[in-house]
Amino acid sequence: MIEIKRFICNMLEENCYVVSDETKECVIIDCGAFYQNERDEICNYIAHKDLKPVHLLATHGHLDHNFGNNTIFEQFGLRPEIAADDAEMLNQYNEQAASFYGMQLNFELPKAGTILEENGTVYFGSHKLKVMPTPGHSRGSVCFYCKEENVVFTGDTLFQQSIGRTDLQGGNMMQIIQSLRTLAQLPDETMVKPGHGSETTIGIELQTNPFLER
């Protein structure tokens, strides 16, 4: 059985998740920790639980989901794992900071490590996450699906009663609609852990989200 801890991070209230199981191995998904207290909270949780981070996963390359990658790299030696189509975006963090936040970062972020394969598998402990390509919010957006635990981490593709923007770099409305159709095929009881906002389920979203249908 997995344990999922959510951390709400940065000025956009992005969701970072630490996902672990009984082996104490864990993955960190979308480390958007910007402020020092957010970075400390994530690292302190990992230390308190005696966890071993083995993957730093990124659902996509936008900066609000990757602010804290340098802390994870410094503390645990992990580089972000991301789809090929968004890998270059990680190298454009200064441009993103200036364009979206009107700021200049006073720290460097690590370049991408492993490039995630479409429909590939990420292993940790006794569990695995399927890499689901879900372009639309960005060209390389992916979701991470754990079939055994009925949970999917959707980044900025699917939110509670909403979906991700398509007017940012790499966005495409037709692509995100197709990606949502793919997510809609998951079982109704699948828990949705989005990149912003509250958790939901596929079944609830099929009933209440105007963008989701089978």
Side-chain angles (χ1 to χ4, degrees), residues 104-123:
Q104 183 175 356
L105 299 184
N106 59 2
F107 54 86
E108 294 185 1
L109 293 177
K111 294 182 178 180
T114 300
I115 299 300
L116 298 170
E117 295 183 9
E118 291 189 3
N119 299 306
T121 304
V122 175
Y123 295 92

Side-chain angles (χ1 to χ4, degrees), residues 21 52 57 88 107 119 121 142 156-157 162 206:
D21 69 9
K52 178 185 178 183
L57 304 177
E88 184 57 32
F107 54 86
N119 299 306
T121 304
V142 300
D156 285 1
T157 298
S162 187
L206 283 168

